[in-house]
Amino acid sequence: MTSTRPFQMNDLFRFNNVNLDVLTETYNMPFYLQYMSTSPELFTVATAPDGSIMGYMLGKAEGTEELWHGHVSAVTVAPMYRRLGLARMLMEDLEGTSANVYNAYFVDLFVRASNALAISMYEKFGYVKYRRVLGYYSGDDPEDAFDMRKALPRDIKKKSIIPMDRPVLPEELEW
């Protein structure tokens, strides 16, 4: 049986089975520590009965006024635990916390424009392509991203998910 709990400091030394995968963005240690200190309730881990890490969710709350939202920085599941509904469980946990604790208007995330599998998964979870961000991913494999969003109950008129009619540059992002 899978259980979830807050990510703990020592998990940073135990999650290689999740992070050492081509589909997973890996960050530096200070990045994870910042999330642990500022948004611990949005940094959760799914564990197997033996205590091994099956996946994790890294998120935060940000924005102002009607742009106040939950943000998914990373959701990833170890290859051997994929297709069991863990990503959905982790996403629903973040969505619930964003709605009930932070009273956010929506949840957003960025995904590589070429990652059709992830885009399809997020669409099944109720997310829409809000806008394309040109050149969002830099480095050895530069690429555009889609900013995908899902409205939460506070956004009664669903204004946060009305797609933009033009792509934007990273410097145009609000946060």
Side-chain angles (χ1 to χ4, degrees):
M1 175 160 182
T2 304
S3 60
T4 59
R5 62 168 171 76
F7 200 92
Q8 299 169 352
M9 185 85 67
N10 65 346
D11 291 331
L12 292 168
F13 304 106
R14 300 178 51 238
F15 70 167
N16 281 346
N17 66 313
V18 180
N19 266 18
L20 297 179
D21 176 70
V22 297
L23 298 177
T24 300
E25 292 283 336
T26 301
Y27 304 99
N28 59 37
M29 193 78 68
F31 186 85
Y32 295 106
L33 296 174
Q34 177 187 0
Y35 277 77
M36 287 178 66
S37 65
T38 60
S39 302
E41 61 285 335
L42 294 175
F43 194 0
T44 56
V45 63
T47 59
D50 67 0
S52 62
I53 296 176
M54 301 168 76
Y56 67 88
M57 165 66 69
L58 180 64
K60 61 184 173 180
E62 63 185 0
T64 59
E65 299 172 3
E66 288 188 350
L67 292 178
W68 178 245
H69 67 284
H71 175 73
V72 177
S73 296
V75 58
T76 188
V77 175
M80 68 184 293
Y81 296 112
R82 291 190 181 143
R83 300 204 162 280
L84 299 175
L86 293 177
R88 180 183 295 273
M89 180 182 71
L90 291 165
M91 292 292 290
E92 287 174 350
D93 184 61
L94 182 132
E95 292 163 7
T97 302
S98 295
N100 301 320
V101 174
Y102 288 103
N103 197 25
Y105 285 90
F106 60 94
V107 171
D108 83 337
L109 57 91
F110 294 92
V111 61
R112 287 184 180 272
S114 66
N115 193 342
L117 189 62
I119 292 167
S120 174
M121 178 186 74
Y122 294 130
E123 287 174 338
K124 287 177 187 167
F125 296 170
Y127 287 77
V128 299
K129 294 177 191 167
Y130 173 70
R131 59 186 167 183
R132 186 179 198 107
V133 184
L134 302 174
Y136 181 81
Y137 293 100
S138 59
D140 294 338
D141 192 15
E143 187 174 350
D144 295 351
F146 284 117
D147 175 358
M148 297 187 74
R149 293 184 176 188
K150 181 177 183 177
L152 296 176
R154 184 174 183 190
D155 185 5
I156 296 166
K157 296 182 180 178
K158 310 280 187 238
K159 293 190 315 185
S160 65
I161 61 170
I162 298 171
M164 289 186 71
D165 57 2
R166 68 173 184 86
V168 299
L169 297 170
E171 54 268 21
E172 295 178 82
L173 295 173
E174 296 85 4
W175 42 87

